[in-house]
Amino acid sequence: MTDFTEQIRLYEPHRRQPRIAAIGGGHGLSAMLRGLKAYTRDITAIVTVADDGGGSGMLREDLGMLPPGDIRNCIMALANTEPTMQQLLNYRFTDGSLAGQSFGNLFLAAMNGISGSFDEAVRSMGQVLAISGTVIPVTTTDVRLTATFENGAYVVGESNIFGFKKQQDCRIDHVSLVPEHPKALPDALEAISEADLILLG
């Protein structure tokens, strides 16, 4: 089937497009979203907020906000913007105190500053960038990922877990969250319950 024929099939008039809930974080989810938006515009990305490394970790500590990086990647994957805007939001500063920080992260941090809540800031950024679908943080609780290793070590923080595993070359016995049962956003639960297809990325 050619790409042209596939597009005709995918956007057949008056046919309800599949409703998809995609759950995850990191680069995996955003990569999956780029492909999914060719098949349907009824996508809800439900994104983890446990990241504490890199630019996201800096903003999390400095501003007391939830980490923006994974959410920014998902918004950019679903965005319908001009190439210059894409370049701008993906731009990373190379010098000074902002070195390594993404402008898209700062944009979301600014939206968070003028919005009533983090999930409202995410929704507003999605509207500004005219995304195909919806991006939702799984929770607005300040959640941390923890890991207990086979040697008994207990490590808090996603970035610390990776560093410890690399240094100690020890297997993870199990992972958990702090707090243990963060409250999921109602919009995320609704998207999952109404989905035709649930994907983990």
Side-chain angles (χ1 to χ4, degrees), residues 22-184:
I23 306 169
H27 297 290
L29 181 59
S30 58
M32 188 166 64
L33 294 173
R34 283 189 186 89
L36 284 175
K37 74 177 183 180
Y39 290 85
T40 179
R41 298 183 186 278
D42 200 344
I43 305 168
T44 301
I46 302 168
V47 189
T48 178
V49 289
D51 185 16
D52 64 354
S56 285
M58 289 168 54
L59 291 174
R60 186 173 190 171
E61 295 304 319
D62 288 349
L63 303 180
M65 65 179 290
L66 291 176
D70 289 345
I71 288 173
R72 170 187 57 84
N73 283 335
C74 291
I75 289 175
M76 294 306 300
L78 295 175
N80 297 291
T81 58
E82 295 297 323
T84 302
M85 179 61 81
Q86 288 270 357
Q87 283 183 301
L88 176 63
L89 291 167
N90 286 323
Y91 175 77
R92 285 193 180 274
F93 294 89
T94 55
D95 300 305
S97 60
L98 292 177
Q101 190 61 262
S102 158
F103 178 75
N105 283 356
L106 297 177
F107 185 93
L108 185 51
M111 292 296 288
N112 185 57
I114 64 172
S115 302
S117 62
F118 184 72
D119 53 312
E120 184 183 321
V122 172
R123 186 165 51 251
S124 297
M125 184 172 176
Q127 291 169 350
V128 169
L129 298 178
I131 65 173
S132 298
T134 307
V135 176
I136 303 172
V138 66
T139 183
T140 53
T141 302
D142 183 19
V143 66
R144 304 280 174 167
L145 187 66
T146 73
T148 302
F149 287 79
E150 289 184 343
N151 64 3
Y154 175 77
V155 180
V156 178
E158 184 180 355
S159 58
N160 296 328
I161 293 169
F162 172 77
F164 184 88
K165 186 173 189 325
K166 190 173 181 180
Q167 180 187 29
Q168 299 289 318
D169 193 27
C170 183
R171 293 172 63 90
I172 295 172
D173 182 71
H174 63 274
V175 296
S176 58
L177 294 174
V178 175
E180 192 171 343
H181 300 291
K183 185 178 180 182

